[in-house]
Amino acid sequence: MERDVKAWFEYEKTNTQAGAYALWSRVDNLSGTATHVEFDRTQRFKSDTVGAWYEGVYMSGYGGTWTNV
């Protein structure tokens, strides 16, 4: 997000927009000694992310290989 806190949100009559985006990372393949999770800025949570998770996890099996969206 912007450093200027006042730029974080746009308030309108019928909606509020945040100048932000969500990142995601797989955690099912972390080692047992992991102390943190690294986020890749190219792995933004988008409308097709959940569908890709379904295809990758449910269809390929938990821990299966699949491409990131």
Side-chain angles (χ1 to χ4, degrees), residues 3 6 8-10 12 15-16 18-22 24 27 30 35 38 40 43 46 48 55 61 63-64 66-67:
R3 290 192 185 273
K6 293 177 184 175
W8 287 5
F9 296 98
E10 290 182 27
E12 299 176 11
N15 65 325
T16 300
Y21 56 87
W24 68 274
V27 295
L30 294 176
T35 59
E38 291 185 24
D40 180 343
Q43 290 181 262
K46 303 179 290 186
D48 55 351
E55 290 293 325
W66 48 289
T67 58

Side-chain angles (χ1 to χ4, degrees), residues 24 26 28 47-69:
W24 68 274
R26 289 190 68 163
D28 61 324
S47 60
D48 55 351
T49 300
V50 175
W53 288 347
Y54 170 80
E55 290 293 325
V57 176
Y58 182 75
M59 302 301 283
S60 300
Y62 183 75
T65 58
W66 48 289
T67 58
N68 295 331
V69 174

Side-chain angles (χ1 to χ4, degrees), residues 25-27 29-39:
S25 181
R26 289 190 68 163
V27 295
N29 54 2
L30 294 176
S31 73
T33 59
T35 59
H36 65 280
V37 175
E38 291 185 24
F39 290 93

